[in-house]
């Protein structure tokens, strides 16, 4: 089975929000998109496991129209810190309870071992930097706790920059760029070997990251604006910048961000995802596209409703004309290369 690295899931967010023990994840959570048995069935060997402190007033559920919604409310630093401490602790408890079946991966050698030994490699990812103070004193502590990936913003304003509101059809050019603290955060992440993620960031912020980043530009779970003009998606100019930086876009599976009509419809065929993968490969280059599902965080097509169905998508890529080697690069190799480059501190 082809090994997969997935650029985004919200499993830890759900476990923390529910106050759940690791046992369910390890034995099976049929009501969820991802658990250990289905990860094994789908060939998931590693992924960015996101931690995103919830907004006091959420942006709005992704089960209706995204055509015009306000920003989500900002998150208080203390509340974000408390939630993130709990979620990181839950991740370590999950790894400890798994008896070696799950590991927190902090370097590429660990990811390679996970792939070779059939272990699920969790890369801890902060989605939104609210748990980091503007002076960045907490960042080293999060790294020591295993965090190796950071989304600068979610779809809300913060001390570091401005996320895009969920709008369709609309441009990602929705506001100002990174703050001084945001630019300092990008530079410090490069020094510490923490991957910086631009998904949810507006166009001006993306441009700031591209100018500042010593590492590849990464969008962990986005799609192509040319095919679905939602604010969350990357324009062709942004895709070309991802390619120029030797970065990657993990194509999101969320139906409102891949359908041409922006609708939430679980009848969305896998060919829609393949079209975004092909477009990103043609614009950014085949070495600069991967997978970034958003399992547990957004509505999925019924054909890939959970992680066990990943082989269906890989088969669809082969049927569409991608070679076996290209499928392996999209599934694993491209993410591995980018992570190795970003983590070289």
């Amino acid at each position: 089975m082809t090994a997969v690295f997935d650029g985004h899931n919200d499993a830890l967010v759900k476990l923390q929000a529910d106050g759940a023990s690791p046992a369910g994840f390890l034995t099976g959570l049929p009501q969820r998109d991802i658990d250990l048995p289905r990860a094994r069935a789908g060939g998931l060997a590693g992924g960015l496991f996101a931690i995103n402190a919830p907004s006091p007033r959420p942006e709005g559920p992704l089960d209706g129209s995204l055509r015009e919604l306000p920003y989500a409310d900002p998150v208080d630093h203390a509340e974000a810190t408390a939630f993130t401490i709990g979620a990181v602790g839950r991740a370590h408890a999950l790894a400890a309870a798994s008896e070696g079946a799950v590991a927190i991966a902090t370097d590429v050698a660990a990811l390679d071992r996970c792939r070779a030994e059939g272990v699920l490699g969790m890369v801890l990812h902060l989605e939104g930097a609210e748990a980091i103070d503007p002076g960045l004193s907490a960042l080293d502590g999060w790294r020591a706790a295993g965090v190796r990936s950071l989304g600068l913003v979610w779809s809300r304003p913060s001390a570091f920059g401005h996320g895009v509101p969920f709008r369709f059809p609309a441009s990602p050019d929705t506001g100002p760029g990174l703050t001084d603290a945001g630019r300092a955060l990008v530079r410090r992440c490069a020094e510490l070997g923490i991957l910086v993620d631009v998904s949810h960031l507006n166009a001006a912020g993306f441009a700031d990251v591209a100018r500042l980043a010593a590492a590849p530009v990464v969008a962990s779970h986005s799609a192509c604006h040319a095919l679905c003009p939602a604010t969350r998606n990357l324009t062709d100019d942004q895709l070309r910048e991802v390619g120029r930086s030797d970065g990657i876009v993990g194509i999101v599976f969320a139906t409102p961000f891949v359908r041409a009509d922006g609708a939430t419809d679980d009848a969305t065929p896998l060919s829609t995802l393949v079209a975004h993968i092909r477009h990103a490969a043609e614009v950014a280059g085949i070495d600069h596209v991967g997978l970034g599902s958003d399992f547990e965080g957004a509505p999925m097509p019924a054909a890939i409703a959970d992680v066990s169905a990943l082989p269906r998508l890989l088969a669809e890529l082969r049927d569409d004309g991608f070679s076996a080697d290209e499928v392996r690069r999209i599934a694993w190799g491209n993410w591995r290369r980018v992570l190795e480059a970003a983590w070289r501190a």
Side-chain angles (χ1 to χ4, degrees):
M1 181 181 296
T2 302
V4 173
F5 187 96
D6 182 30
H8 193 89
N9 74 70
D10 284 325
L12 292 176
V13 175
K14 291 292 180 69
L15 290 173
Q16 176 64 11
D18 294 346
S21 74
F25 184 90
L26 298 174
T27 59
L29 292 168
Q31 75 276 23
R32 299 295 194 200
D33 298 346
I34 179 172
D35 55 33
L36 181 60
R38 283 180 293 167
R40 286 171 166 165
L44 185 70
L48 299 186
F49 281 66
I51 299 168
N52 175 23
S55 290
R57 177 183 58 82
E59 175 90 26
L62 294 182
D63 57 5
S65 172
L66 300 183
R67 296 184 185 281
E68 185 67 33
L69 290 168
Y71 276 113
D73 286 344
V75 176
D76 177 75
H77 170 61
E79 292 177 1
T81 299
F83 184 91
T84 304
I85 288 171
V88 169
R90 202 167 297 273
H92 283 273
L94 175 60
S98 75
E99 298 181 344
V102 179
I104 294 174
T106 58
D107 56 38
V108 170
L111 276 181
D112 288 342
R113 285 194 300 273
C114 288
R115 180 184 180 186
E117 297 171 8
V119 173
L120 177 57
M122 298 192 301
V123 177
L124 300 186
H125 170 85
L126 302 189
E127 185 180 23
E130 287 92 351
I132 300 166
D133 58 292
L136 310 186
S137 60
L139 185 58
D140 290 68
W142 290 122
R143 188 184 187 282
V147 170
R148 290 295 183 275
S149 181
L150 174 72
L152 293 170
V153 298
W154 191 68
S155 286
R156 57 198 176 204
S158 76
F160 302 100
H162 298 265
V164 289
F166 295 127
R167 291 178 185 156
F168 178 97
S171 164
D173 188 7
T174 60
L178 299 182
T179 65
D180 288 345
R183 289 187 288 273
L185 179 57
V186 172
R187 289 190 289 265
R188 183 60 179 148
C189 283
E191 292 170 356
L192 291 175
I194 296 174
L195 179 143
V196 170
D197 175 22
V198 300
S199 286
H200 286 279
L201 189 61
N202 66 10
F206 178 103
D208 286 340
V209 172
R211 282 192 294 269
L212 289 167
V217 176
V218 172
S220 67
H221 61 305
S222 296
C224 304
H225 196 271
L227 303 186
C228 173
T231 48
R232 275 278 286 106
N233 288 338
L234 300 184
T235 66
D236 282 1
D237 283 345
Q238 289 175 320
L239 288 171
R240 280 188 278 270
E241 183 59 42
V242 168
R244 278 194 292 269
S245 75
D246 201 26
I248 193 170
V249 53
I251 296 298
V252 72
F253 301 175
T255 57
F257 305 141
V258 295
R259 291 179 59 92
D261 60 3
T264 299
D265 184 351
D266 68 2
T268 302
L270 290 180
S271 59
T272 304
L273 303 184
V274 171
H276 280 265
I277 291 169
R278 183 164 291 284
H279 184 83
E282 290 174 349
V283 176
I286 188 64
D287 290 326
H288 309 296
V289 59
L291 305 181
S293 68
D294 208 358
F295 284 133
E296 300 286 18
M300 298 285 114
I304 192 163
D306 66 59
V307 68
S308 68
L310 285 169
R312 295 180 193 167
L313 177 57
L314 302 186
E316 191 85 8
L317 289 172
R318 289 187 287 268
D319 290 346
D320 193 66
F322 286 92
S323 70
D325 178 64
E326 288 172 334
V327 171
R328 285 191 293 269
R329 284 145 69 187
I330 291 167
W332 180 272
N334 291 343
W335 268 114
R336 185 196 182 283
R337 184 196 74 252
V338 168
L339 291 169
E340 185 174 38
W343 290 345
R344 194 179 294 129

